Amino acid sequence: MYVSARSDYALRAMLAVAAASRGDGGSGGGELVKAASLAEVQDIPLSFLQGILLDLRRAGLLHSHRGADGGYALTRPADEITVGDVLRAVGGSLTTVRGLPAERAGYHGVAAGLTDVWLAVHGAIATVVDSTTLADLLTRNSTDHAPTTS
């Protein structure tokens, strides 16, 4: 799995929107977040972020309101939006082999077993990203993920 800047930025933006709407459980009725504010706080180029926000809106993860008081909000609670939802919205397949989704990587002869390996890798990644919600990430303490030495 390759995590592109686009995927990283999308997750950071979604977490910022989710954090802004925490007062109502992240259901989309909380504080609207402006794209310019997201770009500044998360250090994301605004023009790049606008394309990402459009993809997230098209995928049904965000809704937007126009006007001076407008901005972005989640379409459903943060505990119902997974990392996998966000990654798929902006990047398509979670795992690719030579630019193709893992399930389409075909081999024959001595390399035939590689298809099973790529599908297992895809399944492992999907398990992690589909079981981790935005709410999970917001409630985790940064010390929970400090590297440990053996």
Side-chain angles (χ1 to χ4, degrees):
M1 174 180 183
Y2 170 76
V3 179
S4 66
R6 184 176 188 80
S7 295
D8 181 58
Y9 291 164
L11 283 164
R12 289 166 44 195
M14 289 292 288
L15 286 166
V17 173
S21 61
R22 278 184 125 182
D24 73 334
S27 62
E31 180 182 338
L32 296 174
V33 181
K34 296 186 181 308
S37 173
L38 282 173
E40 182 179 339
V41 171
Q42 292 297 318
D43 195 26
I44 301 171
L46 180 59
S47 59
F48 194 37
L49 178 61
Q50 288 172 327
I52 292 167
L53 294 172
L54 181 61
D55 286 345
L56 293 168
R57 192 174 60 77
R58 286 181 179 157
L61 300 176
L62 288 178
H63 64 240
S64 62
H65 297 278
R66 294 182 180 257
D69 294 329
Y72 292 88
L74 301 180
T75 58
R76 49 189 206 262
D79 64 356
E80 295 179 12
I81 298 174
T82 68
V83 170
D85 293 332
V86 178
L87 293 176
R88 288 180 187 94
V90 297
S93 183
L94 295 176
T95 311
T96 60
V97 179
R98 297 180 326 273
L100 295 172
E103 60 272 6
R104 291 188 47 209
Y107 298 94
H108 55 288
V110 296
L114 284 175
T115 300
D116 293 336
V117 171
W118 301 144
L119 290 175
V121 167
H122 177 80
I125 291 169
T127 297
V128 172
V129 300
D130 290 338
S131 65
T132 305
T133 67
L134 297 179
D136 293 334
L137 294 172
L138 289 175
T139 58
R140 288 184 183 166
N141 185 331
S142 62
T143 60
D144 290 344
H145 299 290
T148 58
T149 56
S150 306

